[in-house]
Amino acid sequence: DPSPGPKTPERPYKAVVQIMLLGGLDSFNLVVPIGGCGEKDMYAEYQTVRGSVALDLATLSANPITTNGQVCSRMGVHPQFSILKEMYEDNKEALVVANVGVLTKEVNKSNYWQETITQIFAHNAMQEEIKTLDPRDAIPYTSPLGRMADALTNNDNKYSVRSVCIDTTSEALIGRVDVAPPVFSISSAGVTGFNKNPIVEETMTKTVRQLNGNAYSNSSLFAEAWSKSFNAAMDQTEALLEQLTTTGSVVSSTSNFPTSAIGMRLKMAAQFIKVRQGMGVERDLIYVEMPGFDTHSLVEQGLRELLTDLNASLGAFVTELKSQGVWEQVTIIETSDFARTLSPNGGAGTDHGWGGHMVVAGGAVDGGKMVGRY
């Protein structure tokens, strides 16, 4: 039989949403030095080294942000990502983390292949490294979000934690097998009930639950793990389907989500957050992806299209969180494989590079700052 319904949470809700930009965002065109650089003209250096892919100064000056302790006190944000300027400069709800990457030690171009175990130019390796952030394998096969889930569920205050991937499965949410809550993967199109058209109308679900139900005392570890995971998935699906089919899950009419893949994924994330109380959730860990950033050719054309989509989708997501009254309780982390080469290639694109710039945003973020070293 299904588990009892969830209890209404008594403690304040919080969530982390990770948006992974697959392919390697060219973040050297996301945030660019434009002024306040002392004796150096850093924009001129940028323009020289970036060549045909450089953004013009007037375009960048339309979305200026200020920094302290960086090579320049004024930076320009890509014109198609104006929400960063709004959150960072106007509302002080976002910060830029400069020159982020995953290395086991400091290296340079001549010795990296000997001195670090990370494969710093490979998509699959660096995506895994960014998602797990454990290059020395201190807790192998786990991720930061998974380790957060471990800590939240394995203490005296034991929180009700929900870990969700939308339109994918990912190591980004994996914690210790014996501690972390199960990770659920759902479609941005919504949740489908188990076996909508059963052969045996009233007993199919009950029969399947019995067949995959509680393991016996002499069952194997595999049987016990399967039984636990299967029943948890059935319970979660039924509870989520019930919540998402109510009018209480409908997002605000002012939240105009694009119908693109990332727009629909963030819309589903917003719906998940909206039904948190009905599912007894105190902490949400949500992972979504947006592909397309491997811009080996026509990088600026690609970035204009990609960032326009991301800007609108993220804007709708922030608007929805504010309408739900949870913007102060949600933190958004934007990550990517790596940045790209400063100099362009022959196809007006850029190739796999080193550390890049990432964004953290949320109503409780101490924003308006660039941390790290640009």
Side-chain angles (χ1 to χ4, degrees), residues 191 238-251 271 274-279:
V191 178
E238 290 173 7
L240 187 57
L241 182 62
E242 180 182 354
Q243 292 294 321
L244 289 178
T245 52
T246 66
T247 56
S249 70
V250 179
V251 298
Q271 290 179 274
K274 194 163 188 177
V275 300
R276 64 194 180 278
Q277 289 188 319
M279 298 190 68

mmCIF file of all heavy atoms in Angstrom, residues 191 238-251 271 274-279:
data_model
loop_
_atom_site.group_PDB
_atom_site.id
_atom_site.type_symbol
_atom_site.label_atom_id
_atom_site.label_comp_id
_atom_site.label_asym_id
_atom_site.label_seq_id
_atom_site.Cartn_x
_atom_site.Cartn_y
_atom_site.Cartn_z
ATOM 1 N N VAL A 191 4.204 14.960 -15.060
ATOM 2 C CA VAL A 191 4.314 13.623 -14.490
ATOM 3 C C VAL A 191 3.162 12.756 -14.991
ATOM 4 O O VAL A 191 2.009 13.187 -15.008
ATOM 5 C CB VAL A 191 4.282 13.687 -12.949
ATOM 6 C CG1 VAL A 191 4.342 12.292 -12.345
ATOM 7 C CG2 VAL A 191 5.442 14.532 -12.434
ATOM 8 N N GLU A 238 3.090 9.261 -7.256
ATOM 9 C CA GLU A 238 1.677 9.431 -6.939
ATOM 10 C C GLU A 238 1.419 10.742 -6.196
ATOM 11 O O GLU A 238 0.456 11.463 -6.488
ATOM 12 C CB GLU A 238 1.192 8.235 -6.113
ATOM 13 C CG GLU A 238 1.117 6.946 -6.918
ATOM 14 C CD GLU A 238 0.800 5.717 -6.062
ATOM 15 O OE1 GLU A 238 0.504 5.889 -4.866
ATOM 16 O OE2 GLU A 238 0.863 4.595 -6.595
ATOM 17 N N ALA A 239 2.289 11.049 -5.248
ATOM 18 C CA ALA A 239 2.115 12.294 -4.490
ATOM 19 C C ALA A 239 2.316 13.507 -5.395
ATOM 20 O O ALA A 239 1.557 14.479 -5.338
ATOM 21 C CB ALA A 239 3.099 12.330 -3.327
ATOM 22 N N LEU A 240 3.336 13.447 -6.257
ATOM 23 C CA LEU A 240 3.623 14.573 -7.141
ATOM 24 C C LEU A 240 2.533 14.756 -8.179
ATOM 25 O O LEU A 240 2.114 15.884 -8.476
ATOM 26 C CB LEU A 240 4.977 14.349 -7.822
ATOM 27 C CG LEU A 240 5.519 15.497 -8.662
ATOM 28 C CD1 LEU A 240 5.636 16.767 -7.840
ATOM 29 C CD2 LEU A 240 6.871 15.108 -9.256
ATOM 30 N N LEU A 241 2.039 13.640 -8.732
ATOM 31 C CA LEU A 241 0.961 13.721 -9.719
ATOM 32 C C LEU A 241 -0.270 14.368 -9.108
ATOM 33 O O LEU A 241 -0.921 15.223 -9.729
ATOM 34 C CB LEU A 241 0.635 12.317 -10.237
ATOM 35 C CG LEU A 241 -0.451 12.228 -11.311
ATOM 36 C CD1 LEU A 241 -0.030 12.991 -12.560
ATOM 37 C CD2 LEU A 241 -0.750 10.776 -11.646
ATOM 38 N N GLU A 242 -0.586 13.980 -7.889
ATOM 39 C CA GLU A 242 -1.742 14.570 -7.208
ATOM 40 C C GLU A 242 -1.567 16.077 -7.024
ATOM 41 O O GLU A 242 -2.491 16.861 -7.259
ATOM 42 C CB GLU A 242 -1.935 13.903 -5.842
ATOM 43 C CG GLU A 242 -3.123 14.462 -5.065
ATOM 44 C CD GLU A 242 -3.274 13.813 -3.694
ATOM 45 O OE1 GLU A 242 -2.534 12.855 -3.403
ATOM 46 O OE2 GLU A 242 -4.124 14.292 -2.915
ATOM 47 N N GLN A 243 -0.356 16.476 -6.622
ATOM 48 C CA GLN A 243 -0.110 17.897 -6.381
ATOM 49 C C GLN A 243 -0.091 18.702 -7.679
ATOM 50 O O GLN A 243 -0.653 19.805 -7.751
ATOM 51 C CB GLN A 243 1.226 18.075 -5.645
ATOM 52 C CG GLN A 243 1.220 17.554 -4.221
ATOM 53 C CD GLN A 243 0.294 18.336 -3.315
ATOM 54 O OE1 GLN A 243 0.198 19.555 -3.416
ATOM 55 N NE2 GLN A 243 -0.394 17.638 -2.433
ATOM 56 N N LEU A 244 0.552 18.158 -8.727
ATOM 57 C CA LEU A 244 0.710 18.911 -9.971
ATOM 58 C C LEU A 244 -0.568 18.988 -10.796
ATOM 59 O O LEU A 244 -0.651 19.783 -11.734
ATOM 60 C CB LEU A 244 1.830 18.295 -10.820
ATOM 61 C CG LEU A 244 3.251 18.483 -10.298
ATOM 62 C CD1 LEU A 244 4.256 17.783 -11.197
ATOM 63 C CD2 LEU A 244 3.609 19.961 -10.155
ATOM 64 N N THR A 245 -1.548 18.172 -10.481
ATOM 65 C CA THR A 245 -2.824 18.231 -11.198
ATOM 66 C C THR A 245 -3.835 19.125 -10.504
ATOM 67 O O THR A 245 -4.973 19.247 -10.951
ATOM 68 C CB THR A 245 -3.421 16.825 -11.373
ATOM 69 O OG1 THR A 245 -3.473 16.168 -10.094
ATOM 70 C CG2 THR A 245 -2.597 16.000 -12.332
ATOM 71 N N THR A 246 -3.434 19.770 -9.423
ATOM 72 C CA THR A 246 -4.318 20.717 -8.749
ATOM 73 C C THR A 246 -4.044 22.122 -9.253
ATOM 74 O O THR A 246 -2.981 22.417 -9.800
ATOM 75 C CB THR A 246 -4.102 20.688 -7.227
ATOM 76 O OG1 THR A 246 -2.778 21.172 -6.937
ATOM 77 C CG2 THR A 246 -4.254 19.281 -6.677
ATOM 78 N N THR A 247 -5.007 23.004 -9.070
ATOM 79 C CA THR A 247 -4.828 24.389 -9.507
ATOM 80 C C THR A 247 -3.735 25.087 -8.714
ATOM 81 O O THR A 247 -3.198 26.093 -9.144
ATOM 82 C CB THR A 247 -6.142 25.175 -9.339
ATOM 83 O OG1 THR A 247 -6.575 25.074 -7.964
ATOM 84 C CG2 THR A 247 -7.220 24.620 -10.241
ATOM 85 N N GLY A 248 -3.377 24.527 -7.568
ATOM 86 C CA GLY A 248 -2.344 25.134 -6.742
ATOM 87 C C GLY A 248 -0.961 25.078 -7.351
ATOM 88 O O GLY A 248 -0.051 25.764 -6.897
ATOM 89 N N SER A 249 -0.785 24.262 -8.399
ATOM 90 C CA SER A 249 0.534 24.147 -9.020
ATOM 91 C C SER A 249 0.700 25.092 -10.200
ATOM 92 O O SER A 249 1.790 25.187 -10.785
ATOM 93 C CB SER A 249 0.762 22.717 -9.506
ATOM 94 O OG SER A 249 -0.072 22.435 -10.619
ATOM 95 N N VAL A 250 -0.347 25.799 -10.586
ATOM 96 C CA VAL A 250 -0.301 26.665 -11.767
ATOM 97 C C VAL A 250 0.559 27.886 -11.466
ATOM 98 O O VAL A 250 0.382 28.557 -10.450
ATOM 99 C CB VAL A 250 -1.716 27.102 -12.184
ATOM 100 C CG1 VAL A 250 -1.647 28.028 -13.388
ATOM 101 C CG2 VAL A 250 -2.568 25.879 -12.503
ATOM 102 N N VAL A 251 1.507 28.189 -12.368
ATOM 103 C CA VAL A 251 2.370 29.345 -12.156
ATOM 104 C C VAL A 251 1.592 30.625 -12.444
ATOM 105 O O VAL A 251 0.568 30.618 -13.111
ATOM 106 C CB VAL A 251 3.639 29.274 -13.038
ATOM 107 C CG1 VAL A 251 4.471 28.052 -12.680
ATOM 108 C CG2 VAL A 251 3.284 29.267 -14.513
ATOM 109 N N GLN A 271 7.056 24.939 -10.658
ATOM 110 C CA GLN A 271 5.891 24.175 -10.213
ATOM 111 C C GLN A 271 6.259 23.244 -9.060
ATOM 112 O O GLN A 271 5.486 23.075 -8.123
ATOM 113 C CB GLN A 271 5.314 23.378 -11.386
ATOM 114 C CG GLN A 271 4.636 24.238 -12.435
ATOM 115 C CD GLN A 271 4.102 23.416 -13.588
ATOM 116 O OE1 GLN A 271 4.803 23.118 -14.546
ATOM 117 N NE2 GLN A 271 2.847 23.039 -13.500
ATOM 118 N N LYS A 274 6.381 25.240 -6.016
ATOM 119 C CA LYS A 274 5.053 25.699 -5.590
ATOM 120 C C LYS A 274 4.291 24.637 -4.801
ATOM 121 O O LYS A 274 3.475 24.964 -3.929
ATOM 122 C CB LYS A 274 4.240 26.140 -6.804
ATOM 123 C CG LYS A 274 3.004 26.945 -6.425
ATOM 124 C CD LYS A 274 2.440 27.717 -7.597
ATOM 125 C CE LYS A 274 1.333 28.658 -7.125
ATOM 126 N NZ LYS A 274 0.801 29.479 -8.237
ATOM 127 N N VAL A 275 4.538 23.348 -5.080
ATOM 128 C CA VAL A 275 3.803 22.286 -4.385
ATOM 129 C C VAL A 275 4.607 21.722 -3.201
ATOM 130 O O VAL A 275 4.300 20.652 -2.698
ATOM 131 C CB VAL A 275 3.421 21.142 -5.352
ATOM 132 C CG1 VAL A 275 2.539 21.674 -6.477
ATOM 133 C CG2 VAL A 275 4.656 20.445 -5.917
ATOM 134 N N ARG A 276 5.594 22.445 -2.756
ATOM 135 C CA ARG A 276 6.476 21.953 -1.687
ATOM 136 C C ARG A 276 5.717 21.614 -0.413
ATOM 137 O O ARG A 276 5.975 20.595 0.222
ATOM 138 C CB ARG A 276 7.569 22.986 -1.394
ATOM 139 C CG ARG A 276 7.008 24.301 -0.860
ATOM 140 C CD ARG A 276 8.007 25.432 -0.892
ATOM 141 N NE ARG A 276 7.417 26.674 -0.369
ATOM 142 C CZ ARG A 276 6.666 27.492 -1.073
ATOM 143 N NH1 ARG A 276 6.389 27.200 -2.346
ATOM 144 N NH2 ARG A 276 6.160 28.581 -0.530
ATOM 145 N N GLN A 277 4.791 22.480 -0.014
ATOM 146 C CA GLN A 277 4.094 22.257 1.256
ATOM 147 C C GLN A 277 3.201 21.033 1.199
ATOM 148 O O GLN A 277 3.145 20.250 2.151
ATOM 149 C CB GLN A 277 3.292 23.498 1.642
ATOM 150 C CG GLN A 277 4.170 24.668 2.077
ATOM 151 C CD GLN A 277 3.354 25.819 2.629
ATOM 152 O OE1 GLN A 277 2.292 26.152 2.097
ATOM 153 N NE2 GLN A 277 3.827 26.437 3.695
ATOM 154 N N GLY A 278 2.516 20.847 0.066
ATOM 155 C CA GLY A 278 1.643 19.691 -0.071
ATOM 156 C C GLY A 278 2.399 18.379 -0.040
ATOM 157 O O GLY A 278 1.828 17.331 0.278
ATOM 158 N N MET A 279 3.694 18.423 -0.359
ATOM 159 C CA MET A 279 4.513 17.210 -0.343
ATOM 160 C C MET A 279 5.402 17.131 0.887
ATOM 161 O O MET A 279 6.215 16.219 1.009
ATOM 162 C CB MET A 279 5.360 17.141 -1.615
ATOM 163 C CG MET A 279 4.523 17.060 -2.884
ATOM 164 S SD MET A 279 5.531 16.697 -4.336
ATOM 165 C CE MET A 279 6.032 15.011 -3.986
#
